[in-house]
Amino acid sequence: MDTICLILVVLVIGCYGYKAESGSYTLKLENASFEDLHSMFKKIKGTGTGLSQHNKVFSAFAASLTASKTLGNGEIVKFNKVWTNINNDYDQITGVYTAPQPGVYQFSCSVMTQNDKKLRVYLWKNKERTVAIYPGYTGHNMGTLNMVLQLEKGDKVYIKHGGGGREIHSNTGSNYSMFSGYLIR
Ligand SMILES: *[C@@H]1O[C@H](CO)[C@@H](O)[C@H](O)[C@H]1NC(C)=O
Ligand SMILES: *[C@@H]1O[C@H](CO)[C@@H](O)[C@H](O)[C@H]1NC(C)=O
């Protein structure tokens, strides 16, 4: 009985796989797990989010700072010059990016210190500190962070000062300090 079922399933999948070859993906039966099959069927029915399906939402932003600043203790950095804000998920008034849908996101931040000063900032995901940059001391120094985060809809991501140096440098001519991010998938 089990064998007959298996043969039936293989035949049915085979048919769908054949039918789908003209489409955008090829079925790999070899390692098909129930999850794969489930997501494939959902995709065939047009209701699910299959791997090769395009995002429903495209979200991307980049913003820089127009002036140097001494950050308040634990202050969120408001990168105020917006270069890109597709889907408007970045708010330059608060400095916070809000994820529009569940997915995997990329974030980057570069900051420059004021002359002979230190600066420490963190990338936050909601109430959770993730990674830090801590450039200092002599002259101007730069630090960069790159992070990939899996987010739920409504998760908040931002750059915030944390203990130590608070002197961030930027200006309208040079845009040394910036923050960007986008939905990968
Ligand atoms: C199937 O899985 C095995 C073991 O995980 C792996 O060695 C093999 O390359 C996989 N085949 C395909 C087509 O992905
Ligand atoms: C910084 O941005 C301004 C526009 O706000 C632009 O005119 C200037 O060329 C930029 N500077 C650099 C170094 O990219």
Side-chain angles (χ1 to χ4, degrees):
M1 186 60 193
D2 278 352
T3 319
I4 293 169
C5 281
L6 184 66
I7 289 170
L8 266 175
V9 166
V10 167
L11 276 175
V12 168
I13 304 295
C15 285
Y16 271 113
Y18 180 73
K19 223 173 123 187
E21 293 227 317
S22 54
S24 57
Y25 69 94
T26 322
L27 194 55
K28 279 197 196 107
L29 262 185
E30 198 180 323
N31 282 357
S33 68
F34 177 73
E35 289 254 324
D36 295 333
L37 295 181
H38 185 61
S39 82
M40 272 187 275
F41 276 118
K42 272 168 64 180
K43 188 155 70 173
I44 287 160
K45 281 160 57 188
T47 55
T49 49
L51 287 183
S52 62
Q53 189 166 326
H54 290 298
N55 294 316
K56 289 198 190 84
V57 172
F58 177 43
S59 179
F61 79 98
S64 58
L65 204 59
T66 54
S68 295
K69 187 162 194 225
T70 300
L71 298 170
N73 194 28
E75 180 177 345
I76 292 175
V77 185
K78 287 109 187 157
F79 295 90
N80 58 332
K81 153 85 181 152
V82 172
W83 295 83
T84 306
N85 201 2
I86 292 161
N87 205 46
N88 265 323
D89 299 310
Y90 175 71
D91 181 347
Q92 72 263 41
I93 307 296
T94 59
V96 174
Y97 175 81
T98 305
Q101 68 171 44
V104 179
Y105 292 75
Q106 154 76 36
F107 295 95
S108 302
C109 173
S110 294
V111 290
M112 183 182 265
T113 61
Q114 291 184 36
N115 195 31
D116 291 342
K117 296 283 183 353
K118 282 189 292 190
L119 172 66
R120 176 152 53 188
V121 292
Y122 294 91
L123 178 76
W124 287 70
K125 171 187 167 182
N126 298 322
K127 305 269 180 234
E128 183 189 354
R129 229 164 65 180
T130 64
V131 292
I133 25 184
Y134 193 18
Y137 223 141
T138 44
H140 290 283
N141 293 279
M142 288 198 76
T144 297
L145 61 80
N146 284 294
M147 188 61 164
V148 174
L149 291 172
Q150 185 161 11
L151 302 178
E152 295 304 324
K153 180 180 161 78
D155 279 352
K156 311 251 182 244
V157 178
Y158 48 91
I159 300 292
K160 187 172 149 175
H161 167 260
R166 302 178 186 188
E167 323 288 337
I168 189 166
H169 180 68
S170 203
N171 58 45
T172 44
S174 303
N175 323 316
Y176 289 123
S177 295
M178 55 82 64
F179 178 36
S180 69
Y182 59 90
L183 172 60
I184 299 171
R185 186 169 88 182

